[in-house]
Amino acid sequence: KQEVTQIPAALSVPEGENLVLNCSFTDSAIYNLQWFRQDPGKGLTSLLLIQSSQREQTSGRLNASLDKSSGRSTLYIAASQPGDSATYLCAVKHNSGYALNFGKGTSLLVTP
Amino acid sequence: EAQVTQNPRYLITVTGKKLTVTCSQNMNHEYMSWYRQDPGLGLRQIYYSMNVEVTDKGDVPEGYKVSRKEKRNFPLILESPSPNQTSLYFCASSTGLARHNEQFFGPGTRLTVL
């Protein structure tokens, strides 16, 4: 079964810093990988989706990379802001099966 | 606005009292699914549906039922809820399961079973 791990579990940074969140997965036979943001009491917001054939995707201050062979993805957040404070979840869809396999998330706090 | 909606958002009930959590999407998506989120366990898939009248079990289907009579709706049914079904539930949908298809999630339903 696909195992998805996110490190660190929690991160606190001052406003303005660039930061990297890590996601690793055990089975490289993935279909795609999706990064989500979860705010307390709210649902999951899709941030970026990387297809298995792609190396990276960018949206505004966010950049996600994928290295399938090593089983890793990173989410880079540039010039962090307090509004970026949330839990970030990485989810992998395997080539077979229909479920997204989620990591347990990284809880990010950006302090003013 | 394109969205996935769930109702109710919060529910407290007692063991054994049947309940239904509704899920609706307005994006004409074919694929819909339910997840539960528990501390330390993350999100796990309960059931999914590839299209109308096509449903199948996910990783943790015990104690749940679903139906897909219309494309836009995918209700989650707990026939006899138990305290171990206390959780945060999410409905999700996507156009399909192609590599480029993002999955969109609803706002969540927090269920407490006493």
Side-chain angles (χ1 to χ4, degrees):
Chain A
K1 189 184 186 305
Q2 179 78 272
E3 299 288 335
V4 181
T5 303
Q6 292 186 245
I7 294 174
L11 181 64
S12 180
V13 300
E15 182 176 6
E17 272 203 12
N18 302 324
L19 58 100
V20 174
L21 308 181
N22 296 293
C23 172
S24 62
F25 45 94
T26 53
D27 188 342
S28 62
I30 69 168
Y31 212 46
N32 58 39
L33 184 147
Q34 202 166 346
W35 281 94
F36 293 90
R37 167 185 173 138
Q38 183 174 20
D39 294 281
K42 296 188 178 179
L44 281 66
T45 301
S46 178
L47 298 173
L48 290 163
L49 177 142
I50 309 177
Q51 299 177 46
S52 58
S53 57
Q54 297 174 327
R55 298 282 294 182
E56 66 177 346
Q57 283 289 333
T58 298
S59 176
R61 293 183 293 109
L62 305 180
N63 176 276
S65 68
L66 174 64
D67 184 342
K68 229 175 50 161
S69 60
S70 68
R72 293 181 183 177
S73 176
T74 61
L75 179 67
Y76 175 82
I77 302 177
S80 59
Q81 302 170 357
D84 295 329
S85 299
T87 297
Y88 290 81
L89 295 164
C90 162
V92 172
K93 186 180 177 313
H94 194 265
N95 281 344
S96 62
Y98 299 95
L100 288 177
N101 294 116
F102 281 84
K104 292 182 173 55
T106 294
S107 178
L108 173 66
L109 176 65
V110 181
T111 55
Chain B
E1 180 191 354
Q3 59 183 348
V4 179
T5 57
Q6 296 178 225
N7 282 292
R9 294 288 315 280
Y10 304 90
L11 179 60
I12 301 174
T13 190
V14 296
T15 298
K17 186 176 181 182
K18 181 179 178 180
L19 67 93
T20 299
V21 183
T22 65
C23 172
S24 182
Q25 49 89 8
N26 62 0
M27 297 170 278
N28 200 36
H29 284 171
E30 292 192 349
Y31 178 82
M32 298 184 73
S33 62
W34 278 101
Y35 287 81
R36 60 179 287 174
Q37 184 178 34
D38 302 289
L41 296 176
L43 283 104
R44 295 173 293 167
Q45 191 184 57
I46 303 170
Y47 267 95
Y48 65 91
S49 169
M50 298 296 290
N51 212 326
V52 175
E53 303 292 3
V54 181
T55 64
D56 208 345
K57 297 176 182 178
D59 296 323
V60 288
E62 295 77 20
Y64 304 94
K65 285 175 55 178
V66 292
S67 70
R68 187 93 182 271
K69 294 185 169 52
E70 304 167 282
K71 197 171 187 178
R72 63 184 293 130
N73 296 324
F74 190 44
L76 179 69
I77 303 157
L78 285 72
E79 294 269 3
S80 183
S82 62
N84 65 11
Q85 293 178 298
T86 293
S87 188
L88 180 57
Y89 291 87
F90 290 103
C91 180
S93 74
S94 67
T95 303
L97 290 176
R99 282 186 173 81
H100 61 278
N101 290 146
E102 277 182 273
Q103 294 205 32
F104 297 91
F105 281 71
T109 294
R110 185 166 293 282
L111 172 65
T112 301
V113 183
L114 302 175

